[in-house]
Amino acid sequence: MTNRQERIILSLMSINALAFVVIFLFLAFNYRLAADDYHHAQMVSQHGIWDAMVYYYNNWNPRWSSILVTNTFLSSASKTWTLFLFHCCSLLLGFVAVWSLLKGLISKFQLPFTSLQAAILSIYLIMATFHTSFSKADTWFWITVNPMYLWGTFAAILGGSFLFQNWLPIARYVLVGLMFLYAGGSSESVALCSLVVLFFVGFISKNSNNQNIDRTALHFATVACMVGFAIAMTGNGIQVRREHLPHHPASDRLILGLWNYVKFNFYRIPTILPIAILAVAPFGFFGRKHLRFQLISWKDVFWSNRKLWLIADLMVGVLAMALGWVMCEMGPERTWFPITVLVVTVSVALAYQLGSWAYIILKGRLFQVVVLAQLLLLSFQVTLGFIRVPESFHYANAHDARTVAIQAISDSEDNHKVASLPDSGWLMSGDISQDPDHFTNMHLGLYFGLSQPIVADSSLISGR
């Protein structure tokens, strides 16, 4: 990529990627324990990393692989740097996964990007995924949940990237197996979406002469993901969780699943398309000269990408039906994270293929439009950064002040009142309820070894 205009766009993408990293790290620095974090930390303190996972596996949450990651970091939750290190690892895992996938695709399709440019694009795509996420507080920052959906998806992407590569087969097969074993045991939505992709790729490549997919690695990936998922699905904890979920007739669950599918396609996904389109605009400019992939009609958009549309529809459909069947609703937004990755992936692929068409429609002004899109994206990030970062510092200071106040409480008191916390913004809130029997109150009291109920009092000043 030597074109001057392309270098300008890549520079703007680098600035946007850097702005995202700075904002993310500031927010990560201000993350504090919240809700279930306290219970996990206490269980790890009592039983150790492995036995605490076994406890959850048998009594509440059988997502064994992600629970192990959570427990590992929360085993030293009292150290101020642990939570920040955890979020740095999230960012690093995402970068390695996307970079490895891009390197494989660049080699397979002979795309005109250098290793340095691939690294910049990797961070940029993580930025795009962050801003198109349906929920940020729990998906990206909540340490109890982050390994389930964020890490699970990144592990699947990293493992999938090895299917396009050919270095050291044995070592690569082991890594593929480990990544998909983790993905399968991390959460149901990640496991199901991963299996949809793996089975689909296996089916379309079965009778193909295409040698770009290592089918042995694909078999390792599929079996490992199924094993990880099976371990999670046979845990006693899953029965406990089901007791707390609605129990509707099968016909109602199927209808709810179909309704979820409609809502995903016509309500939820459209809400993240504007920021996705804004973010992927540069890929159209890069792809305009790669004539082998350029599309010139709407018919080509759908027909040439029929496999991409089919796998996307299968992912959305399977996830929608699974949530409708199990939860009798759409479920929390964090479970939709694979859909976010899907939207970004499809958007990038289409933008790259429509570069020439956009160049013609815009009468040669595609460069100006992309520059404007990058400046708008930068303004969007800077504006949100000026709002969210100070907000997170305010929240963190209040959280620390509350911790000091709780540590000074005498357990002989009949009623423990602590200050309510301010808005945590993009961070998962550690605030508790005025109901002493609420799970957040109970987890907080357990963590600090209080035998009496603890409640929030909005009349108290919380480090403001």
Side-chain angles (χ1 to χ4, degrees):
M1 187 188 301
T2 58
N3 184 284
R4 178 175 175 273
Q5 291 182 338
E6 291 174 341
R7 291 198 298 270
I8 291 174
I9 291 175
L10 191 65
S11 298
L12 289 172
M13 294 175 73
S14 302
I15 294 172
N16 266 305
L18 179 60
F20 161 70
V21 171
V22 171
I23 293 170
F24 183 90
L25 292 179
F26 270 119
L27 292 170
F29 180 78
N30 290 318
Y31 180 77
R32 299 295 186 270
L33 295 182
D36 293 359
D37 295 348
Y38 288 108
H39 192 273
H40 277 263
Q42 181 62 20
M43 293 303 296
V44 171
S45 176
Q46 290 182 351
H47 303 289
I49 295 172
W50 180 266
D51 288 342
M53 181 277 291
V54 173
Y55 171 85
Y56 285 111
Y57 183 80
N58 290 318
N59 293 279
W60 180 249
N61 192 337
R63 298 165 186 165
W64 60 276
S65 59
S66 53
I67 296 295
L68 278 175
V69 171
T70 296
N71 290 351
T72 299
F73 280 94
L74 288 180
S75 64
S76 57
S78 59
K79 297 181 175 132
T80 56
W81 52 265
T82 302
L83 299 180
F84 180 69
L85 176 63
F86 169 79
H87 291 101
C88 289
C89 289
S90 295
L91 207 58
L92 179 61
L93 175 60
F95 168 76
V96 172
V98 177
W99 179 80
S100 181
L101 179 60
L102 281 181
K103 289 288 288 183
L105 294 175
I106 288 170
S107 175
K108 174 183 177 181
F109 296 111
Q110 298 180 347
L111 303 178
F113 298 104
T114 66
S115 295
L116 176 60
Q117 291 163 353
I120 294 172
L121 294 179
S122 299
I123 302 173
Y124 182 87
L125 286 173
I126 295 173
M127 175 213 70
T129 305
F130 177 85
H131 288 298
T132 53
S133 296
F134 294 100
S135 174
K136 297 177 179 64
D138 47 2
T139 305
W140 288 84
F141 292 107
W142 192 9
I143 190 172
T144 301
V145 166
N146 183 308
M148 297 177 187
Y149 304 101
L150 189 74
W151 284 42
T153 303
F154 286 159
I157 293 173
L158 181 57
S161 72
F162 296 146
L163 304 182
F164 300 102
Q165 302 171 16
N166 55 15
W167 50 269
L168 297 175
I170 295 179
R172 190 160 45 85
Y173 297 157
V174 170
L175 287 175
V176 166
L178 290 175
M179 290 300 103
F180 279 100
L181 184 67
Y182 179 89
S186 63
S187 67
E188 296 83 354
S189 63
V190 171
L192 287 172
C193 289
S194 298
L195 288 171
V196 167
V197 174
L198 291 171
F199 279 120
F200 185 84
V201 172
F203 177 77
I204 64 174
S205 63
K206 182 177 180 181
N207 298 317
S208 172
N209 293 324
N210 192 335
Q211 301 298 318
N212 290 312
I213 297 293
D214 186 334
R215 288 190 58 82
T216 302
L218 178 64
H219 295 326
F220 270 92
T222 306
V223 172
C225 192
M226 293 176 65
V227 169
F229 189 41
I231 293 173
M233 289 298 96
T234 53
N236 294 329
I238 200 168
Q239 300 300 327
V240 179
R241 290 175 71 91
R242 283 175 179 169
E243 293 175 2
H244 295 268
L245 295 173
H247 298 279
H248 295 323
S251 58
D252 290 351
R253 296 186 185 202
L254 290 173
I255 292 173
L256 286 168
L258 292 172
W259 182 231
N260 284 347
Y261 175 78
V262 172
K263 287 191 289 187
F264 267 129
N265 283 300
F266 297 101
Y267 173 58
R268 300 305 308 191
I269 291 177
T271 63
I272 63 173
L273 283 179
I275 189 66
I277 293 171
L278 190 68
V280 304
F283 291 93
F285 192 78
F286 296 150
R288 77 196 189 286
K289 294 190 298 185
H290 207 174
L291 300 180
R292 183 161 64 101
F293 296 104
Q294 295 306 294
L295 305 176
I296 57 174
S297 70
W298 287 112
K299 178 181 178 181
D300 287 340
V301 170
F302 290 98
W303 182 250
S304 298
N305 290 291
R306 58 190 181 279
K307 293 178 182 177
L308 181 63
W309 292 121
L310 180 56
I311 194 172
D313 193 59
L314 283 172
M315 281 184 63
V316 174
V318 167
L319 185 57
M321 294 302 295
L323 290 171
W325 183 265
V326 175
M327 306 194 72
C328 298
E329 59 178 31
M330 292 190 76
E333 292 181 338
R334 57 181 174 265
T335 62
W336 310 346
F337 184 66
I339 303 300
T340 296
V341 175
L342 175 67
V343 169
V344 173
T345 302
V346 172
S347 298
V348 169
L350 292 179
Y352 198 85
Q353 296 175 82
L354 293 173
S356 294
W357 178 82
Y359 187 83
I360 295 171
I361 292 296
L362 295 171
K363 298 180 179 179
R365 296 187 179 89
L366 180 59
F367 170 72
Q368 290 84 345
V369 170
V370 173
V371 169
L372 177 61
Q374 283 296 291
L375 293 176
L376 287 174
L377 186 59
L378 182 60
S379 300
F380 172 77
Q381 288 205 94
V382 171
T383 301
L384 287 178
F386 274 112
I387 296 172
R388 297 305 184 190
V389 170
E391 193 175 52
S392 71
F393 274 102
H394 186 199
Y395 165 77
N397 289 334
H399 193 289
D400 294 341
R402 188 188 71 174
T403 298
V404 172
I406 293 175
Q407 291 172 335
I409 288 177
S410 171
D411 203 30
S412 61
E413 298 176 17
D414 293 333
N415 189 17
H416 302 321
K417 290 186 177 181
V418 296
S420 295
L421 298 178
D423 188 3
S424 60
W426 280 343
L427 299 180
M428 184 65 187
S429 177
D431 204 7
I432 59 174
S433 168
Q434 294 182 338
D435 176 9
D437 295 325
H438 194 270
F439 77 94
T440 55
N441 299 50
M442 297 174 67
H443 291 346
L444 183 63
L446 176 69
Y447 179 78
F448 285 100
L450 300 176
S451 59
Q452 299 299 321
I454 184 170
V455 296
D457 188 342
S458 58
S459 65
L460 295 177
I461 297 176
S462 179
R464 295 178 224 195

